[in-house]
Amino acid sequence: QLRVAAGEPLGLTQDDVRFDGHAIEVRLCAEDPRHGFTPQSGEVALWRMPSSVRVEDALETGATVPPFYDSMVAKLISHAPTRDAARRKLVEALDATIALGVPTNRAFLRDALRHETFAAGAATTAFVGDHGDAIAAVVGADQATVRAITAALLRLTQGTRPALPSRLATSFATPVRFDLDGAAVDCRLAFQRDGIAVSAPEGDTLIAVDAIATNDASFRLGAVTERVAYARRGDTLFLQWRG
């Protein structure tokens, strides 16, 4: 840009430009879509960007998003031979995007890309006005399981270092209480030989935790192996499961 502004030649002509597939860009912003896209600020508890698409960002875990500037914190750009392939590639990339500690529009962007109107190529400038409230209200994960995972992670990460209980350890059920997105959750948790049993009014969940590291855990729900990314900051636990 500076060289062209100084009068130097661009180095290519319009005839040199060729279409090659389709690209879609989304702008990851520190804002809350459920409350009018209000800008957010604070410390980033965990920042992990996908490698499958082009990412332009300048944040890292522990960085602070200040309230003084535009709320955009990253751009994610997918490219594929067709529009639908680029759309699906970007959905997968947003599922792999982890930005914990400060509310973002990540889930809103993903669900907007998955919306049938956008997928059909029928979205206009009225898309967010027509569908934004419904997209922002989508709750993608099973909330009963989210509560059970939260209870287990709170217990396993309560020390200075996350640790699994002994395979031989068993314990009586003890009460666990926490707030999940502002709603109080009461349940009971017990270590068993085959996993962590979490009892709640809506039912019981058995979580067999296979491994736990500082920001990642793998576990089994029945025969299905799951992975969760999390970050703990004092008494606050941030987690992301199934995107």
Side-chain angles (χ1 to χ4, degrees), residues 149-164:
I149 295 171
T150 302
L153 280 176
L154 282 170
R155 180 61 59 86
L156 295 176
T157 61
Q158 64 184 1
T160 57
R161 180 177 302 180
L164 291 174

Side-chain angles (χ1 to χ4, degrees), residues 12-214:
L12 73 165
T13 68
Q14 189 63 41
D15 291 337
D16 295 322
V17 179
R18 295 286 185 269
F19 283 109
D20 178 21
H22 195 100
I24 303 178
E25 172 188 298
V26 293
R27 299 186 176 193
L28 186 69
C29 296
E31 58 188 26
D32 187 351
R34 293 183 296 179
H35 296 90
F37 296 92
T38 307
Q40 304 291 306
S41 61
E43 181 181 328
V44 178
L46 182 60
W47 183 260
R48 189 183 297 165
M49 294 294 104
S51 59
S52 58
V53 298
R54 174 174 171 171
V55 177
E56 299 176 3
D57 71 318
L59 284 178
E60 61 183 4
T61 300
T64 298
V65 177
F68 310 115
Y69 311 107
D70 185 277
S71 61
M72 184 172 63
V73 292
K75 293 180 182 179
L76 287 79
I77 305 131
S78 68
H79 178 264
T82 65
R83 178 184 184 275
D84 194 58
R87 181 187 65 84
R88 288 186 279 108
K89 185 177 181 180
L90 194 50
V91 168
E92 293 174 358
L94 285 166
D95 272 340
T97 296
I98 300 171
L100 300 179
V102 179
T104 72
N105 64 340
R106 183 198 60 83
F108 181 89
L109 294 171
R110 179 201 60 187
D111 293 335
L113 288 167
R114 295 168 60 186
H115 194 279
E116 59 183 8
T117 299
F118 189 91
T124 69
T125 53
F127 176 76
V128 174
D130 292 341
H131 306 289
D133 289 344
I135 293 172
V138 169
V139 178
D142 171 37
Q143 291 301 291
T145 306
V146 169
R147 288 191 283 271
I149 295 171
T150 302
L153 280 176
L154 282 170
R155 180 61 59 86
L156 295 176
T157 61
Q158 64 184 1
T160 57
R161 180 177 302 180
L164 291 174
S166 167
R167 293 287 185 184
L168 301 178
T170 59
S171 68
F172 294 108
T174 57
V176 178
R177 181 168 192 170
F178 55 92
D179 288 338
L180 182 62
D181 284 339
V185 176
D186 287 287
C187 57
R188 298 180 67 81
L189 183 148
F191 291 125
Q192 299 181 355
R193 292 185 179 181
D194 51 353
I196 300 174
V198 181
S199 300
E202 63 270 14
D204 298 339
T205 304
L206 181 65
I207 301 175
V209 184
D210 294 321
I212 185 166
T214 302

